[in-house]
Amino acid sequence: MTYSIRNLIIVFLSLIPFVSFSQRIKQSINTSWQFHRGVEKDDNKKGYWEQVNIPHTWNVEDVMDDEPGYYRGIGWYQKELYIPEGWKDKNIYLYFEGASQVAEVFVNGKRAGVHRGSYLAFSFNITSLLNEGKNTIRVKVDNSHDPDIPPLGGDFSVYGGIYRDVYLIAVDKNHFDMDNYASSGVFISTPSVSEESASVQIRGKVSVSKKVKITTTIYDKEGKEVAVSETDPDKDGSFTVQVKNIKKPNLWSPENPYLYKVVNVLRDAKNEIVYDEVVNPLGFRWYHFDAEKGFYLNGKPYKIMGASRHQDFKGMGSALSDALHINDVQWLKDMGGNFLRVSHYPQDPAVMEACDRLGILTAVETPGNNQITESEVYTHNMLDMQREMIRQNYNHPSVVIWSYMNEVLIQPLYKDKTPEREKYWKNLHELALKMENLCRDEDKERYTMIAFHGDFDLYKKVGLIDIPKIAGWNLYQGWYGGKFGDFETFVLKHHKEFPLKPLIISEFGADSDYRLHSFSPVIFDKTQEYANLYHESYLKIIKKYAFIAGAIVWNLAEFGNESRQEAVPHINNKGLLTTDRKPKDSYFIYKAALAQQPFVKIGGSDWLYRAQQADPGSNTEATQPVTVYSNQKEVKLWNNGQLIGIQNVKDGKAVFACSFKNGLNTLKAVTDRGDEDLIAIDFHVIANQLKNTENTFTTLNVSLGDQRMFEDEVTKESWVPEQEYKPGSWGYVGGKVYREDEKSEKYGSRRNILGTAYDAMYETQRVGLKSFKADVPYGLYEITLHFAELLTPTEQEKLVYNLESNTRSENKLGYTRKFDVSLNGFIFLENLSDDNHLAPITAYSTKTTILVNRGQGITVGFIPHEGEAILNGIQLRKIF
């Protein structure tokens, strides 16, 4: 290139206005942190600080172990930061997406600020505290229970730590507001939207020292400019932009989640230098709730159907990557759901971004659970959290409801019918009014909701139903008590007494341990089959009434609560997905009802190892119902290449009677349009006559006092329900089923059985049995006996959020239990009692081998000395 050509290029470029790229720099600083649990000490000994990456929580293990309680206290984080020389003229912020629950930040030993609350973002301007080059950041995090910081209780664990992303943000001295509750500083609303046109209002504030101008550009999905506006900020830095008459807007909906982009650029008024830029999503939609006709979206009736979500994952606690948050929203979308209740607290920004992008309507709520503290500090913190939540999530088109106070009357302070209790109700009512007014002041367009538990008369008395725009009801009729039909009775009562108040079923669900199954399920047996009946019953009523604006399943996925016991300790297992995101049959019930894409799924797809007694008159075949879920008209089912049948799909399913044989059984379901699903089941048929030669005896695993089937997916063992002994077969002789409450139909204990992962098996037992017999053929056998003392010296603490109407009675250990166990006549266990192996609610198992002679079989005898003998489980395995 010649000198003259270079000069021409320089002259040409000088004629073009200089426009630089945005000067904002945002970078995550998640790696290479050090962590120490406990009070900080000036100690640099090896091992004192643990190397961690963010997201991080210190409660991954202790929430799930058998030790009562989990660590709620102080943890320290530290990290070295290197600030480049090029940042010396910038303002520098530390931005935390979330830390639980009080975070105090220090930079080079000086306090930068403190934030209270586990679930919202916060940032601090650390410019004045920094040195050039190397800097030390320390963060003191404390998740101790604090009566002035919600949540005060609830059916979830308050994990401690810096459990969401941390960012370093550098901005020019002239920038969009960085000190507005960690929001973007720009707030977008759509005052009018129709199919023909729409208007947009953009409000915000800038911090400037020079004369600037603000350019606002709206881009469509393809990047085409839709509108451009330019404005100057007021003297205080505030600005408002009105964009009117956008023709034929693409409307945002779950079926068409069309997103525009609003780009605000801050420029020097003279030379066009770009100081700062912020980008926000924009979705054009309009909606309203009608107390008689339900929810309307973009002018059309639209039934809300979806789920709630907690933010934890198996083996990770609450410290999840963005991908795992996004995957959960995708699970909901794939199910056909159109709504997410972000409960019981605001969640990771990645969740909200995914809801915008995938088309999921949302309700976001603050963590005001169970009760309140009557203090000015608590009120201030609640209002502050609500304001943070609204401002940080204001620009998400997916948000249609701001929620606050979940089941807030379930655990009141003070004794009933006292002046203190009445004053508490009044104070709670006043706080609810303040929360409501704040929501309406901050956002005049969106709706508000409080989620109530099922005590209709109490909420009516306290006056809470009158306050929010929408009443949310958490209803569990047919689970914690009552029957399925009581659900319909309840919603009709609400509609009659509050005919002008829109209604959402904000929670409904039933526990289901994915390992437990029964074809004759009963209330509270924790089987998938009972949960399926529950969801099918509720779904019919939800569809039946237009005034039910929507219904939100509790919960999308199982989640942790350290204080829970029952079949899966420390887990609320009402989820449609397991803690590691395996779908249960209940997930497919909703997919069959809601999904638009063609779909077929064989039920029990997570139940791949099964055992069952042979059909009467057979030793080689066992028949089970097989449910196929689909949103198509017709389904065919094959087993091992043989056609089982053809059925029309009704209410999202078809049920076939399928005969299984020993070994691998391959099921294939095909719809009328050719969609298919395939699963392989390893089936063990237990012969009716154990000595028959058609089906040689190998194993038998029996859960005593139980009518459920249990699958151990780790060992691939299948447990069968107990049965009474018949000659030639197997079973118990004498005794009765253990019941925690003799007046209740719910059998088994609901205690966490210590020392085992198989709580469901140990929670049931037969009491007072004389023997267990199995007429097995000649051979060498291994016998394993399982025991757990279910009577305890103390009552189990009632979990208030289980919504049980009364404190249940519970059997206590009021005497010494002592008995011997014999095998084919010789004493195997002597004086088994609570003085030795039978510690309360603790698993004890022992095994031995025995040679069975011809015609002898196995007889396990029980000889009581004090009290009654017990047996929880037995396993027989033929060695050879």
Side-chain angles (χ1 to χ4, degrees):
M1 182 183 295
T2 67
Y3 177 77
S4 58
I5 294 175
R6 284 202 307 271
N7 281 349
L8 286 173
I9 293 173
I10 292 171
V11 170
F12 176 74
L13 291 175
S14 69
L15 298 176
I16 301 175
F18 175 72
V19 181
S20 70
F21 291 105
S22 168
Q23 300 299 299
R24 179 175 296 212
I25 300 171
K26 181 179 180 181
Q27 54 184 233
S28 64
I29 52 170
N30 289 339
T31 57
S32 301
W33 285 77
Q34 292 180 309
F35 168 72
H36 167 66
R37 195 177 88 168
V39 179
E40 185 196 31
K41 298 176 183 177
D42 186 15
D43 192 337
N44 292 313
K45 292 180 181 178
K46 185 177 181 180
Y48 182 80
W49 291 95
E50 173 190 355
Q51 295 292 326
V52 301
N53 290 330
I54 306 300
H56 175 265
T57 175
W58 58 69
N59 292 125
V60 171
E61 295 179 0
D62 60 357
V63 161
M64 297 303 298
D65 65 24
D66 281 340
E67 290 294 322
Y70 61 106
Y71 181 72
R72 296 197 66 174
I74 293 171
W76 282 89
Y77 295 84
Q78 68 178 18
K79 178 181 177 62
E80 289 188 349
L81 286 182
Y82 294 87
I83 304 301
E85 186 178 353
W87 289 15
K88 64 181 179 180
D89 293 326
K90 295 183 179 295
N91 281 5
I92 300 172
Y93 286 79
L94 268 178
Y95 181 93
F96 296 79
E97 289 184 345
S100 177
Q101 68 178 356
V102 179
E104 194 171 3
V105 179
F106 300 86
V107 178
N108 296 323
K110 297 178 181 180
R111 189 171 183 266
V114 63
H115 180 265
R116 292 174 176 84
S118 299
Y119 306 107
L120 287 151
F122 58 95
S123 66
F124 299 121
N125 187 336
I126 62 171
T127 310
S128 63
L129 305 178
L130 291 170
N131 303 319
E132 272 193 38
K134 179 179 175 181
N135 295 266
T136 299
I137 306 296
R138 283 195 174 183
V139 185
K140 177 185 176 183
V141 184
D142 189 347
N143 72 329
S144 300
H145 177 79
D146 187 327
D148 285 325
I149 301 177
L152 302 182
D155 188 10
F156 56 95
S157 296
V158 181
Y159 296 91
I162 304 177
Y163 69 98
R164 294 183 188 161
D165 294 333
V166 184
Y167 288 91
L168 197 62
I169 302 176
V171 294
D172 190 89
K173 299 295 183 183
N174 303 286
H175 56 267
F176 288 99
D177 192 358
M178 291 283 292
D179 300 300
N180 193 339
Y181 293 91
S183 69
S184 70
V186 173
F187 303 94
I188 302 166
S189 59
T190 51
S192 66
V193 179
S194 70
E195 293 182 354
E196 298 302 318
S197 66
S199 64
V200 184
Q201 177 180 278
I202 301 102
R203 298 178 291 109
K205 191 174 183 179
V206 293
S207 177
V208 294
S209 59
K210 297 182 178 181
K211 187 172 178 57
V212 297
K213 61 182 178 181
I214 300 163
T215 303
T216 300
T217 308
I218 300 175
Y219 297 93
D220 66 12
K221 192 174 182 179
E222 288 72 37
K224 179 182 177 182
E225 285 187 4
V226 174
V228 181
S229 180
E230 195 170 277
T231 188
D232 299 326
D234 296 336
K235 289 182 179 180
D236 65 352
S238 62
F239 67 92
T240 301
V241 177
Q242 303 283 356
V243 180
K244 298 181 180 181
N245 202 26
I246 294 177
K247 298 292 186 181
K248 298 285 184 181
N250 278 291
L251 298 180
W252 185 98
S253 70
E255 291 70 31
N256 178 46
Y258 193 98
L259 288 177
Y260 294 78
K261 291 181 181 66
V262 177
V263 180
N264 292 97
V265 179
L266 181 66
R267 286 186 172 89
D268 189 282
K270 294 181 179 180
N271 56 26
E272 295 291 319
I273 291 176
V274 173
Y275 294 127
D276 197 13
E277 176 185 280
V278 293
V279 182
N280 283 286
L282 168 64
F284 291 111
R285 76 283 184 270
W286 80 97
Y287 56 89
H288 74 278
F289 287 86
D290 184 280
E292 187 65 37
K293 298 179 181 179
F295 180 66
Y296 282 72
L297 179 64
N298 298 331
K300 300 175 183 177
Y302 199 89
K303 182 77 81 171
I304 287 171
M305 288 298 302
S308 297
R309 177 193 187 255
H310 272 290
Q311 63 185 8
D312 47 337
F313 195 96
K314 184 177 182 179
M316 297 182 182
S318 59
L320 276 61
S321 66
D322 286 352
L324 290 174
H325 291 296
I326 295 166
N327 288 349
D328 277 359
V329 183
Q330 188 67 58
W331 274 108
L332 180 59
K333 184 71 175 181
D334 292 345
M335 187 183 80
N338 57 33
F339 198 93
L340 178 67
R341 181 184 174 205
V342 182
S343 58
H344 292 303
Y345 40 76
Q347 295 180 16
D348 195 284
V351 172
M352 305 309 301
E353 292 162 1
C355 289
D356 292 342
R357 184 175 61 255
L358 296 176
I360 300 291
L361 296 158
T362 63
V364 191
E365 67 186 44
T366 42
N369 287 10
N370 290 31
Q371 60 183 214
I372 68 166
T373 298
E374 298 167 283
S375 72
E376 291 184 10
V377 177
Y378 179 86
T379 297
H380 170 80
N381 287 335
M382 276 286 284
L383 294 173
D384 229 28
M385 288 180 184
Q386 194 76 5
R387 191 176 289 106
E388 282 181 321
M389 179 185 77
I390 293 172
R391 295 194 186 182
Q392 290 175 22
N393 293 283
Y394 190 92
N395 294 334
H396 292 294
S398 56
V399 179
V400 295
I401 298 171
W402 302 121
S403 186
Y404 56 92
M405 289 189 174
N406 176 72
E407 298 180 355
V408 75
L409 303 187
I410 199 172
Q411 196 176 15
L413 301 178
Y414 314 112
K415 293 183 178 180
D416 193 17
K417 298 179 180 178
T418 62
E420 292 82 4
R421 174 70 71 83
E422 294 306 312
K423 183 181 178 182
Y424 177 80
W425 292 148
K426 181 180 178 182
N427 289 334
L428 199 154
H429 184 272
E430 289 179 358
L431 177 58
L433 281 174
K434 290 178 180 178
M435 300 285 286
E436 182 69 18
N437 291 335
L438 184 148
C439 289
R440 299 192 186 196
D441 288 343
E442 290 282 329
D443 187 347
K444 301 186 185 308
E445 296 182 2
R446 291 181 170 99
Y447 283 75
T448 56
M449 181 177 75
I450 297 177
F452 313 120
H453 76 282
D455 195 336
F456 184 92
D457 294 335
L458 180 57
Y459 283 98
K460 180 180 177 181
K461 171 191 170 185
V462 177
L464 290 187
I465 301 175
D466 299 308
I467 294 176
K469 294 181 179 180
I470 302 168
W473 284 106
N474 301 347
L475 301 178
Y476 293 92
Q477 290 85 354
W479 181 244
Y480 290 119
K483 54 186 184 297
F484 295 152
D486 297 335
F487 171 65
E488 183 175 17
T489 301
F490 188 100
V491 296
L492 290 172
K493 180 178 181 178
H494 168 93
H495 189 55
K496 179 180 179 181
E497 297 197 26
F498 289 87
L500 301 180
K501 180 69 64 174
L503 164 69
I504 284 178
I505 310 305
S506 43
E507 286 184 24
F508 66 103
D511 291 18
S512 61
D513 181 342
Y514 70 94
R515 303 168 300 177
L516 291 173
H517 297 273
S518 173
F519 299 124
S520 300
V522 296
I523 188 170
F524 230 77
D525 66 3
K526 306 297 183 86
T527 62
Q528 286 205 55
E529 287 71 23
Y530 185 85
N532 295 345
L533 294 177
Y534 175 99
H535 285 287
E536 289 168 351
S537 172
Y538 272 56
L539 192 53
K540 288 178 181 178
I541 301 304
I542 291 161
K543 288 181 175 180
K544 180 178 179 181
Y545 295 106
F547 70 80
I548 300 177
I552 305 165
V553 176
W554 189 262
N555 196 277
L556 178 64
E558 299 175 342
F559 58 92
N561 176 10
E562 195 276 341
S563 62
R564 271 196 174 264
Q565 300 195 28
E566 304 173 355
V568 185
H570 319 301
I571 292 292
N572 183 317
N573 57 7
K574 293 182 181 65
L576 304 178
L577 310 170
T578 62
T579 54
D580 53 352
R581 296 350 188 224
K582 296 174 184 175
K584 304 176 187 178
D585 280 3
S586 50
Y587 177 87
F588 300 120
I589 290 173
Y590 289 99
K591 187 164 185 176
L594 305 175
Q596 297 300 311
Q597 292 296 320
F599 152 78
V600 63
K601 187 66 180 178
I602 299 171
S605 57
D606 57 353
W607 187 16
L608 301 180
Y609 305 98
R610 307 187 189 186
Q612 185 171 297
Q613 195 72 19
D615 296 336
S618 173
N619 283 310
T620 59
E621 295 185 356
T623 302
Q624 286 187 349
V626 172
T627 300
V628 179
Y629 299 100
S630 181
N631 55 6
Q632 301 303 295
K633 293 180 180 180
E634 183 183 88
V635 170
K636 299 177 182 178
L637 182 69
W638 282 265
N639 185 16
N640 294 329
Q642 180 179 351
L643 181 64
I644 301 299
I646 306 172
Q647 291 197 31
N648 293 327
V649 176
K650 183 178 180 182
D651 295 326
K653 68 178 183 180
V655 182
F656 300 83
C658 184
S659 180
F660 291 90
K661 296 182 178 181
N662 259 328
L664 203 62
N665 291 255
T666 302
L667 298 179
K668 183 173 75 170
V670 181
T671 69
D672 48 307
R673 67 181 303 278
D675 310 291
E676 66 176 57
D677 186 39
L678 189 74
I679 66 170
I681 297 172
D682 190 349
F683 206 103
H684 175 45
V685 179
I686 304 169
N688 286 308
Q689 295 296 314
L690 300 183
K691 295 180 182 178
N692 82 94
T693 56
E694 298 174 288
N695 183 1
T696 305
F697 181 88
T698 56
T699 58
L700 176 65
N701 307 302
V702 183
S703 180
L704 275 297
D706 204 347
Q707 288 304 309
R708 304 167 299 179
M709 293 165 277
F710 178 84
E711 177 198 31
D712 184 346
E713 63 177 356
V714 177
T715 64
K716 301 181 181 179
E717 292 175 313
S718 300
W719 293 69
V720 296
E722 67 171 11
Q723 66 177 27
E724 191 170 7
Y725 170 73
K726 293 180 181 179
S729 188
W730 59 271
Y732 64 83
V733 177
K736 62 181 181 180
V737 171
Y738 169 85
R739 292 188 184 277
E740 192 172 75
D741 184 346
E742 293 296 337
K743 298 179 181 179
S744 172
E745 59 184 307
K746 303 171 185 175
Y747 60 84
S749 172
R750 284 183 274 174
R751 298 296 292 267
N752 173 17
I753 309 301
L754 305 179
T756 182
Y758 303 108
D759 296 75
M761 190 275 292
Y762 281 102
E763 286 172 345
T764 63
Q765 67 183 196
R766 180 152 286 268
V767 181
L769 72 172
K770 295 179 180 179
S771 63
F772 184 94
K773 297 174 67 68
D775 293 342
V776 296
Y778 167 77
L780 183 66
Y781 290 83
E782 179 183 84
I783 301 177
T784 305
L785 301 176
H786 299 271
F787 304 91
E789 178 56 81
L790 302 179
L791 303 184
T792 63
T794 58
E795 287 190 359
Q796 177 185 3
E797 181 182 354
K798 179 188 174 185
L799 299 181
V800 64
Y801 39 77
N802 269 0
L803 304 179
E804 295 163 295
S805 57
N806 298 302
T807 302
R808 65 174 181 270
S809 61
E810 181 171 353
N811 294 324
K812 294 183 181 180
L813 184 61
Y815 60 91
T816 299
R817 188 192 303 281
K818 185 180 294 185
F819 60 95
D820 297 341
V821 180
S822 65
L823 292 179
N824 286 355
F826 70 91
I827 300 298
F828 170 56
L829 295 173
E830 186 174 353
N831 288 332
L832 186 61
S833 75
D834 58 315
D835 290 331
N836 44 64
H837 300 297
L838 292 184
I841 59 168
T842 302
Y844 167 63
S845 66
T846 184
K847 64 183 178 182
T848 189
T849 55
I850 184 173
L851 178 63
V852 176
N853 296 320
R854 295 184 184 278
Q856 184 182 30
I858 295 174
T859 299
V860 183
F862 298 87
I863 305 125
H865 298 302
E866 295 184 53
E868 297 178 292
I870 58 172
L871 181 64
N872 298 65
I874 185 170
Q875 295 176 278
L876 307 178
R877 179 171 66 87
K878 188 174 183 180
I879 299 174
F880 60 88

